[in-house]
Amino acid sequence: MTRGNIYVFLFILALFAFGLWVLLPWDSERLGRHGLVLGLDLRGGSHLVYQADLSLKDPSQSDEDVMKGVLAKIERRVNAYGVTEPIIQRQGHDRILVQLPGVKDVDEAIKLIGQTALLDFREMELDASGRLVFDEEGKPKWTAVAKATGSDGVERELTGKYLKPNASVVLNPQTNEPEVAFEWTDEGAILFEQITQRNLHKPLGIYLDGEPISWPTVQAVIKERGVITGLNIEEARMLAIQLNSGALDVPLKIIQEQRVDATLGADSLKKSLIAGIVGAALIVAFMISYYRLPGLVASCALVIYVVLLLTIFKLVPVTLTLPGIAAFIVSLGMAVDANVLIFERMKEELRSGRTLAAAVEAGFKRAWPAIRDSNITTFIACFILYWFGGTLGAFMVRGFALVLFIGVALSMFSAIVTTRSFLRLVARAISSPAAYGV
C-alpha cells in the first residue's frame, strides 16, 4: 500500500471509532448517550392541524405576514411548554401542522396552541343611578372592554397587547393558591391605573378570548403590576405561557386531531429493527457466498456504513419516522449494489488475464460511471419526493426522501473509498483468483 492508501485506511478507522463513541452505549430504550430523535409515529404524541381564519386579520397586514406571526407565537408556546423536538410547519395557504411528541393529552395541546389568548378587562355595568345592572339569570352584566385615556389623550381599550412578556405563576402567601403575576408596559400602566381607580372596591372582570376567567375585587389603585386569580396550577401555567407568547393575530380552527399511541410506535420500531437485521444478514450471506473474499470486504464496509449513517442521524439530528426507517433499510441494499457492479468488473478483468492489483483498479474505474449515474437519478427522485412532501404536507414522505438521500450519498463514499481501501489491503495479502470468485 502507498502512504496515501494508509492514510485513507486510518481515516476510515478513525471515523468508525468516532461513530461508535457517539452511538454507544446501547440500551433497550435508545441508541447512544441521548438517543436518536424519533418521530411522532414511533414515539407517540399529539398530531394537530389548524386552519387560520384570515378573514378576521388586520387589513393592514398581508396573509403571509399574519401566518408567519402565528407560526412564531405557536413555536414560543410549544417551546415554553417544554415539548422536545416538536414539528410546527405551514401547510398550504392557511393551515398549520403541529406535532407534539410525548404529549398524549390532545385536549391540553389544543388549549395550549389554538387559543387566541386575547386578554381584556371589563367593568360591571351600571344604570343611570349608579346601580348594578343584572341579566335574565340574575347575574351582573359586564360592559365591553374597559377603556381609559392614554398618554397622548386618546381613549384606548386595555387588552393583553400592553403586557410585558414576563408573566409567571406565583403562590399567594396567604392562601397558597396559584396566581398569574403580570406586568404592564408604560402605556398599559397608565390605562390600568385609571381603570382600577374608578373601580376601587368593585369587581373587575378579567376575560380571555371573551370568556370570564376571574373577577377579583379591586382593593387598591394598581399601576404597573397585577395578578390573575381563580385558576388551578395547570391553568395558571398555561395562561402564563399564552400571555408571554402574545395573542394570536387571527383565530385558529382545529380541523384534524389525532392521538398517536406510543405502544404502536414501539411495536413498529421493534419490527423495523428485526426487518433491518434480517435484511442485513441476508445481504452479508449472499455477498460472502457469491463473491467470497470481496464479499467479506463489502460486508465489513457495510458495518462501517451503518455506524456512520446512524452517527449522521444522531448528530444532525434527523428525525426518524417509520418511512425513514424503511428508507434506511432500502439504503442498505443500495450500498451493496455499487459493490456488486465493482466486483463484476473485477472478475471480468481477472478472467482477461490482468493481475489482481490491476483488476481492482480497473474494476473501480469501469464501474464508476454506472454507480454515478444510478445514484444521480436516485438523488433527483429524492429531491422531487422531498419537495412534493413539503408542498402537499406529506411530511412522512419528506422523511423517507431525506433518509434515502443521506443513505445513498454515504453509500457512494462506502463503495468508492471504504471498500476500495480495504480491497487494496486484502489484495496485497491474498492474490489467489479463486478467493475472488474466479
Side-chain angles (χ1 to χ4, degrees):
M1 290 180 71
T2 64
R3 181 174 294 181
N5 291 335
I6 293 175
Y7 289 153
V8 172
F9 180 74
L10 293 177
F11 174 70
I12 294 170
L13 292 182
L15 282 180
F16 180 65
F18 173 74
L20 290 177
W21 178 79
V22 170
L23 297 176
L24 296 178
W26 172 283
D27 60 45
S28 60
E29 297 296 327
R30 58 187 184 179
L31 182 67
R33 288 163 175 76
H34 302 291
L36 294 172
V37 179
L38 300 181
L40 192 71
D41 55 344
L42 296 176
R43 186 178 172 188
S46 298
H47 172 97
L48 307 169
V49 179
Y50 288 94
Q51 185 172 34
D53 188 354
L54 296 176
S55 64
L56 299 178
K57 70 178 180 66
D58 187 336
S60 64
Q61 291 183 295
S62 65
D63 291 354
E64 188 69 23
D65 290 341
V66 169
M67 291 303 294
K68 286 181 179 179
V70 171
L71 275 173
K73 290 173 181 178
I74 290 177
E75 286 177 357
R76 286 199 292 269
R77 292 182 182 185
V78 171
N79 292 336
Y81 193 70
V83 180
T84 57
E85 302 299 335
I87 296 176
I88 304 167
Q89 294 170 324
R90 184 173 170 183
Q91 288 186 332
H93 179 63
D94 60 353
R95 294 186 179 186
I96 296 173
L97 167 73
V98 181
Q99 292 186 345
L100 306 175
V103 177
K104 307 301 192 305
D105 191 339
V106 177
D107 294 333
E108 182 181 355
I110 291 173
K111 185 177 180 181
L112 168 69
I113 296 165
Q115 197 166 25
T116 306
L118 180 61
L119 190 76
D120 64 70
F121 292 78
R122 305 186 186 186
E123 302 172 82
M124 299 186 75
E125 189 173 335
L126 304 176
D127 59 18
S129 59
R131 290 178 296 185
L132 291 176
V133 177
F134 297 89
D135 59 17
E136 296 80 3
E137 299 178 359
K139 297 180 180 179
K141 283 189 176 182
W142 298 88
T143 63
V145 182
K147 297 180 180 180
T149 304
S151 58
D152 56 359
V154 177
E155 192 174 52
R156 291 188 174 89
E157 294 181 341
L158 181 62
T159 65
K161 71 178 182 178
Y162 295 109
L163 288 173
K164 292 182 179 181
N166 60 356
S168 61
V169 179
V170 297
L171 295 178
N172 187 298
Q174 278 81 36
T175 64
N176 207 36
E177 293 293 324
E179 300 174 341
V180 177
F182 60 87
E183 186 176 356
W184 296 108
T185 61
D186 292 341
E187 187 69 19
I190 294 173
L191 302 177
F192 197 51
E193 182 182 21
Q194 298 175 51
I195 292 172
T196 54
Q197 189 169 26
R198 66 173 180 250
N199 287 279
L200 197 60
H201 307 302
K202 298 178 184 177
L204 184 65
I206 304 175
Y207 281 67
L208 186 70
D209 293 341
E211 296 294 329
I213 58 173
S214 179
W215 38 88
T217 299
V218 179
Q219 302 293 346
V221 177
I222 308 170
K223 190 174 182 181
E224 293 90 357
R225 297 176 179 84
V227 294
I228 299 174
T229 60
L231 307 170
N232 60 41
I233 188 67
E234 193 58 37
E235 291 171 338
R237 177 171 174 255
M238 199 85 69
L239 179 60
I241 291 173
Q242 292 171 331
L243 295 182
N244 289 334
S245 68
L248 300 180
D249 300 312
V250 291
L252 296 180
K253 180 176 68 174
I254 185 75
I255 60 175
Q256 183 182 349
E257 59 179 271
Q258 181 182 1
R259 178 182 179 272
V260 180
D261 192 353
T263 304
L264 177 62
D267 183 61
S268 300
L269 180 60
K270 182 179 178 181
K271 290 179 179 178
S272 299
L273 290 175
I274 293 174
I277 292 171
V278 171
L282 290 176
I283 291 172
V284 169
F286 167 77
M287 293 297 292
I288 294 176
S289 63
Y290 190 80
Y291 291 104
R292 301 181 187 176
L293 190 57
L296 179 61
V297 170
S299 300
C300 295
L302 186 64
V303 172
I304 296 176
Y305 166 81
V306 170
V307 170
L308 294 182
L309 189 57
L310 290 175
T311 301
I312 293 173
F313 292 164
K314 174 74 169 55
L315 294 178
V316 169
V318 175
T319 301
L320 278 180
T321 60
L322 200 57
I325 293 178
F328 171 69
I329 296 173
V330 170
S331 70
L332 293 179
M334 300 188 70
V336 176
D337 178 60
N339 291 321
V340 170
L341 292 173
I342 294 167
F343 297 159
E344 287 297 332
R345 296 295 185 269
M346 279 179 51
K347 290 168 70 173
E348 291 175 3
E349 298 297 324
L350 287 172
R351 292 190 185 104
S352 68
R354 287 204 178 197
T355 64
L356 181 58
V360 170
E361 300 304 323
F364 277 89
K365 184 176 180 180
R366 292 184 59 189
W368 167 244
I371 296 171
R372 177 197 61 205
D373 294 345
S374 64
N375 285 336
I376 287 176
T377 57
T378 304
F379 289 152
I380 293 172
C382 289
F383 280 123
I384 294 173
L385 285 173
Y386 191 85
W387 181 75
F388 269 107
T391 303
L392 302 177
F395 295 99
M396 296 297 184
V397 175
R398 294 188 76 174
F400 178 89
L402 178 62
V403 171
L404 185 60
F405 178 88
I406 295 174
V408 172
L410 187 61
S411 73
M412 294 177 66
F413 171 83
S414 177
I416 302 304
V417 179
T418 306
T419 303
R420 190 175 196 171
S421 177
F422 285 11
L423 208 53
R424 283 171 174 170
L425 177 64
V426 170
R428 291 178 62 88
I430 304 174
S431 56
S432 172
Y436 296 85
V438 177

